């Protein structure tokens, strides 16, 4: 008879909960950033159209408003998204990952098998 199959868990409960929180935090942060970028740019296009048909005296103010609405909501959404990711990642083991954690693997022969036909040189 075969041995009874045991359930092998690769992540402990704390690690699993931390990974799930990190995933949901990243997803929520990206959604907030996406909607902020989308709404900011839609508002900027609407104000730019208004500036294009505005009389000469008012056009500059509309262009300035369009530029501000293109930048301010995007910056605010990215900052809010970053805060959301960091809040969800607070319970992670160790510190929350940041841009300094991005590593690029050195080029060596072990990566040759990962390249496609046209990329081998």
């Amino acid at each position: 008879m075969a041995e009874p199959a045991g359930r092998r868990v690769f992540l402990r409960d704390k690690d699993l909960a931390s990974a799930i929180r990190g995933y949901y935090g990243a997803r929520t942060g990206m959604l907030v950033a996406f909607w902020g970028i989308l709404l900011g740019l839609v508002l900027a296009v609407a104000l730019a159209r208004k500036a294009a048909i505005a009389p000469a005296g008012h056009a500059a103010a509309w262009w300035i408003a369009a530029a501000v609405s293109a930048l301010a909501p995007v910056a605010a959404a990215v900052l809010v998204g970053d805060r959301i990711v960091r809040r969800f990642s607070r319970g992670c083991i160790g510190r929350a990952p940041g841009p300094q954690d991005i590593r690029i693997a050195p080029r060596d022969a072990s990566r040759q098998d990962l390249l496609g036909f046209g990329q081998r040189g």
Side-chain angles (χ1 to χ4, degrees), residues 17-112:
S18 176
I20 290 171
R21 273 196 309 275
Y23 166 75
Y24 282 114
R27 187 187 73 161
T28 305
M30 284 188 290
L31 282 172
V32 167
F34 169 75
W35 282 106
I37 291 167
L38 183 69
L39 293 176
L41 294 180
V42 165
L43 181 62
V45 167
L47 291 174
R49 290 182 61 167
K50 183 87 170 167
I53 61 171
H58 299 283
W62 286 109
W63 283 114
I64 291 171
V68 168
S69 70
L71 299 176
V74 172
V78 168
L79 288 175
V80 168
D82 177 62
R83 298 304 336 154
I84 289 172
V85 169
R86 292 197 180 276
R87 177 153 313 223
F88 273 88
S89 298
R90 186 177 295 165
C92 291
I93 298 168
R95 62 175 176 74
Q100 69 274 12
D101 295 318
I102 297 173
R103 293 183 300 273
I104 299 173
R107 288 195 118 164
D108 59 356
S110 66
R111 298 174 52 92
Q112 288 295 330

